[in-house]
Amino acid sequence: MPRFQLSSFNFQPPPQRRSGGFALLITITLLAFVVLLLVGLAAYTRVETAISGNTQKQAQARQNALLALDVALGQLQLHAGPDQRVTATAEGFNGVAGTRYYTGVWDARTSGAEPLTWLVSGNETDPLTVSPATTFATATAAELVGLKSTLTANNVRAPLVPITTVGVPGLAANAPIGRYAWWVGDQGVKAPVALAGSTDAITYPPFDSPELRDRIRQQISLGAGATDATGAPVFEPRAANNASNAANTTAFNQLAFLNLSTTGTVGLTTLRNRYHDWTPNNFNVLADTSASSIGLRRDLSLAPSLLGPAAQAWLDYPSYMEDPATSATSAFPPLPLVSADSLRRRFVMQPPVSAAAAAQPLIAPVLSYFLLSFNVRTQGGSAATLPLEVRAFWKIGLWNPYTSALVPETSLRLEITDLPTVRVENDSLGGVAASDSLQSVFGAGGPNNAMKILLPWDAVPPSGVTGEDRASWLPGRVYNWRSIEQPTGTPPSDGYPSRFYAKAYTAPGEANGGVIRPLASAPVDGDNEGHIDGDARTLTVKIFAVRPNGDVELATLTSPRFTAFTTNR
């Protein structure tokens, strides 16, 4: 019989795998992350610290700049604030590269080349410590205007002034904590080259005709134009291609967009070259620079009593200005009428109203050019033995210095007295050939026997001549007169005639031999040597306005003293 034996078995689960290496990896990863976080925090802290330091330095620099601005404004007000102060740049006062654009301040009541101060840093306590002749080391001065503004490095340099501590805890007394530099430029020497036209809006009667609207532009001050070194125009702000741009130009850099007189625009290069010459605008006040020190002026036309009786008569233009609806009815009508609806915004010349007012302002043109020449010769310039004669030539220029047009006079007259006496000797024939006073030869008789020269205002141009404006004595305009040939006759009582609007002694096809008068002389051999003596003399020239109700003296002028002379031939 089979036998069964039961055996016992021990069943155990399989052994488990160890996991300690994974925990180490996690730990290392966490440590690396913490290190990276710490490095990031450290870097972020360094960046924030640097930003904070830069911000602090920027704020300190801005505060230093504001301090410099406050000091500059204070110095400007202190030295240039009074009305009796005038300014100029150092270009004519030993200015060198970097300093020639320093601004000096002078007292108009005193004389002398030395200014009160130069408006630049370093002169705060002693106003003349820094002068235009000062040279600066690189470390002690700052470039305030340079290459980006003027295409010239160190165009304006100013000394650096230290800022020191006063009673700051933790810092030594007077320890430097910063520096500043400043400079005040003179805008008054710059030309305002972007002044828009102000006459286009004047279209109401009587200025509704093109002719009279053109005259408005001739009779008012329009400002400076932009020109190059030769005087050629660069651009015209009132031209059609610039009219709208000029009206909206407020900043210097906007001038670069204005159109040139030729083609293209001004551009930055041209603008940088004119940094110290151009400005879009200038602002000024009517200041009293005299010793009276009465403050800012108002419009002087509102206080004519300050200008004297002559100016009061001049400003009373309704008394002599044409009625716009009628022709001229005043005692001094301008010649000729421009049109039936013309309104004369011009002013009559005014002399002193009395002898006591002679020192008060006149309203009259200025004698800007005066040439009077005499030539002694034998009659007709012949080489034969003939009596002597003398020829006279003159050239006279008168200037309207005012910003308003003057009413042209029918004629002006010059009266010249104290002409010299000439003595002519002939060496070959011997003796004195003539000894005559030129005053007696050319004088027109009367109390002072003056030599009279008429300066007519011939308003109508000669036949065939166009483009000449003779109907107005425009602001700033100089008109010229010259002598006309008059070979015979006696001195006219009203004056020798002159040619108006003439810059040359002769016109095309005209011979001008001058005004010829004989000398009371013995015959002289024109081929022989001789000499002329003239005595020392001071001439007196008077200018008169020739008017229907009586001539009016406008001015009396005295020449320098001419020394005695001898001329040999």
Side-chain angles (χ1 to χ4, degrees):
M1 156 176 215
R3 181 182 292 179
F4 295 92
Q5 183 176 349
L6 297 176
S7 298
S8 61
F9 294 91
N10 184 17
F11 294 94
Q12 295 181 355
Q16 296 182 353
R17 301 177 62 182
R18 294 182 178 274
S19 60
F22 180 76
L24 178 62
L25 180 61
I26 294 296
T27 302
I28 293 174
T29 301
L30 290 175
L31 287 175
F33 177 76
V34 171
V35 172
L36 181 63
L37 181 63
L38 292 176
V39 171
L41 289 174
Y44 181 76
T45 301
R46 288 187 60 188
V47 170
E48 285 298 312
T49 302
I51 292 176
S52 177
N54 290 339
T55 302
Q56 180 183 9
K57 292 178 180 178
Q58 185 180 40
Q60 184 178 2
R62 182 177 289 109
Q63 292 301 318
N64 292 348
L66 289 175
L67 172 63
L69 176 62
D70 289 340
V71 173
L73 291 175
Q75 291 294 104
L76 177 65
Q77 182 64 27
L78 173 65
H79 296 288
D83 297 329
Q84 292 75 32
R85 304 294 168 82
V86 294
T87 60
T89 61
E91 289 186 277
F93 299 90
N94 301 320
V96 296
T99 67
R100 63 170 51 94
Y101 298 110
Y102 283 3
T103 300
V105 182
W106 284 262
D107 192 328
R109 297 167 295 184
T110 61
S111 59
E114 191 76 6
L116 298 176
T117 190
W118 296 99
L119 294 175
V120 66
S121 54
N123 284 339
E124 293 86 350
T125 56
D126 187 345
L128 292 175
T129 299
V130 180
S131 71
T134 306
T135 56
F136 309 106
T138 303
T140 60
E143 179 189 65
L144 300 184
V145 179
L147 193 64
K148 297 296 184 181
S149 298
T150 64
L151 300 180
T152 304
N154 294 313
N155 189 260
V156 176
R157 290 178 61 82
L160 288 164
V161 178
I163 303 173
T164 58
T165 61
V166 178
V168 177
L171 294 176
N174 298 321
I177 56 174
R179 295 184 298 176
Y180 68 85
W182 59 269
W183 155 76
V184 176
D186 194 344
Q187 288 291 104
V189 301
K190 297 182 180 182
V193 295
L195 296 181
S198 58
T199 61
D200 294 337
I202 305 177
T203 58
Y204 44 81
F207 305 108
D208 49 357
S209 67
E211 181 180 7
L212 291 179
R213 290 183 62 191
D214 288 342
R215 285 186 176 277
I216 292 177
R217 297 189 66 179
Q218 294 175 322
Q219 297 185 35
I220 65 174
S221 177
L222 295 177
T227 63
D228 60 18
T230 65
V234 177
F235 65 88
E236 172 52 62
R238 292 171 289 274
N241 62 347
N242 280 327
S244 60
N245 289 337
N248 297 312
T249 299
T250 57
F252 177 74
N253 56 3
Q254 291 177 310
L255 295 175
F257 299 102
L258 295 181
N259 294 292
L260 296 173
S261 298
T262 53
T263 58
T265 58
V266 174
L268 287 177
T269 299
T270 301
L271 197 61
R272 289 170 178 171
N273 282 324
R274 295 289 180 266
Y275 179 85
H276 295 288
D277 303 323
W278 293 351
T279 179
N281 46 48
N282 270 345
F283 301 98
N284 55 72
V285 294
L286 293 173
D288 174 23
T289 59
S290 66
S292 56
S293 185
I294 61 175
L296 297 180
R297 292 286 195 185
R298 296 180 299 164
D299 183 353
L300 294 183
S301 63
L302 301 178
S305 59
L306 299 176
L307 298 178
Q312 294 178 45
W314 179 71
L315 291 169
D316 187 20
Y317 61 83
S319 65
Y320 54 80
M321 187 177 70
E322 293 178 20
D323 188 317
T326 63
S327 299
T329 57
S330 70
F332 319 118
L335 295 176
L337 291 177
V338 177
S339 62
D341 62 344
S342 62
L343 178 65
R344 306 289 185 176
R345 297 291 297 192
R346 309 180 226 177
F347 301 93
V348 170
M349 302 174 197
Q350 296 291 340
V353 296
S354 65
Q360 294 175 347
L362 307 178
I363 308 299
V366 173
L367 183 64
S368 61
Y369 185 84
F370 179 73
L371 170 66
L372 180 59
S373 173
F374 296 99
N375 170 232
V376 180
R377 66 177 188 176
T378 53
Q379 290 181 3
S382 172
T385 302
L386 295 170
L388 294 171
E389 64 183 12
V390 60
R391 298 187 299 169
F393 301 87
W394 56 82
K395 182 75 176 297
I396 296 163
L398 294 176
W399 166 49
N400 173 13
Y402 304 101
T403 56
S404 297
L406 294 173
V407 174
E409 301 287 341
T410 303
S411 181
L412 299 172
R413 184 180 73 250
L414 264 63
E415 292 191 0
I416 305 158
T417 55
D418 301 319
L419 292 173
T421 296
V422 296
R423 183 172 179 268
V424 182
E425 292 186 359
N426 190 299
D427 292 342
S428 62
L429 299 180
V432 176
S435 180
D436 276 335
S437 166
L438 295 181
Q439 195 69 57
S440 63
V441 174
F442 288 92
N448 57 7
N449 193 33
M451 178 182 180
K452 299 179 181 179
I453 299 176
L454 281 178
L455 309 179
W457 191 278
D458 303 327
V460 180
S463 176
V465 177
T466 59
E468 294 182 355
D469 185 354
R470 300 185 178 187
S472 304
W473 199 327
L474 300 177
R477 182 70 65 88
V478 175
Y479 286 111
N480 296 280
W481 289 262
R482 64 162 172 86
S483 54
I484 301 175
E485 183 171 351
Q486 190 181 69
T488 60
T490 59
S493 59
D494 56 347
Y496 297 100
S498 301
R499 181 78 67 206
F500 173 59
Y501 214 92
K503 295 183 179 179
Y505 274 119
T506 59
E510 177 190 14
N512 186 1
V515 175
I516 302 175
R517 292 290 174 265
L519 291 178
S521 71
V524 174
D525 185 352
D527 279 340
N528 288 324
E529 299 269 332
H531 64 269
I532 304 171
D533 294 332
D535 58 349
R537 196 62 61 105
T538 297
L539 302 185
T540 300
V541 180
K542 294 185 178 183
I543 303 177
F544 291 85
V546 180
R547 294 176 176 172
N549 56 347
D551 298 349
V552 176
E553 182 180 336
L554 297 176
T556 298
L557 308 170
T558 302
S559 75
R561 182 171 178 80
F562 298 105
T563 59
F565 66 91
T566 297
T567 301
N568 295 307
R569 66 168 298 274

